[in-house]
Amino acid sequence: QVQLVESGGGLVQPGGSLRLSCAASGFTLDYYAIKWFRQAPGKEREGVSCISRSDGTTYYTDSVKGRFTISRDNAKNTVYLQMNSLKPEDTAVYYCAAARSCWATEHDYWGQGTQVTVSS
């Protein structure tokens, strides 16, 4: 049984921080690139960040550069997304996905998502 489970979402005020977790079971995430996506109501899904399976290279969409950090803990089979200086426009459901590379258009596994709400 292969599974990705996101956690760590919640309600936070603008300027605050959250750390999202993407925990894998049934497979070793080190063999996969792990991506974070987000989708707000009425908007298309947006790629947020990715960490490469090979050398750990990280990528970020422009709107989160300098604020978000993706990292990997192989011992815990988990990828994290540290989100700092959060803005209301960061509000969305955040999903993690496993793929062969950060550039893959197909994804082997998806999590169910975790809600992030940034509001006063």
Side-chain angles (χ1 to χ4, degrees):
Q1 288 73 25
V2 173
Q3 188 175 3
L4 284 175
V5 178
E6 303 96 335
S7 62
L11 175 64
V12 65
Q13 295 189 23
S17 297
L18 288 171
R19 189 177 75 161
L20 305 185
S21 298
C22 176
S25 62
F27 69 100
T28 300
L29 63 74
D30 191 44
Y31 296 150
Y32 293 86
I34 303 296
K35 302 178 181 179
W36 285 98
F37 296 89
R38 65 187 181 187
Q39 187 166 26
K43 298 182 179 179
E44 65 182 10
R45 187 180 66 195
E46 175 188 23
V48 176
S49 185
C50 184
I51 186 165
S52 172
R53 68 170 182 163
S54 56
D55 59 5
T57 302
T58 58
Y59 304 91
Y60 305 92
T61 191
D62 287 344
S63 63
V64 308
K65 286 181 179 178
R67 300 189 297 119
F68 291 11
T69 303
I70 191 170
S71 62
R72 181 191 300 268
D73 186 340
N74 289 333
K76 295 183 177 180
N77 214 23
T78 299
V79 167
Y80 303 98
L81 185 68
Q82 179 67 45
M83 310 165 66
N84 298 326
S85 301
L86 283 162
K87 304 175 180 179
E89 49 264 44
D90 296 318
T91 296
V93 177
Y94 283 70
Y95 301 89
C96 63
R100 296 187 67 185
S101 77
C102 286
W103 316 115
T105 57
E106 296 182 357
H107 302 81
D108 290 356
Y109 312 112
W110 285 90
Q112 294 299 306
T114 185
Q115 175 70 233
V116 172
T117 302
V118 185
S119 176
S120 299

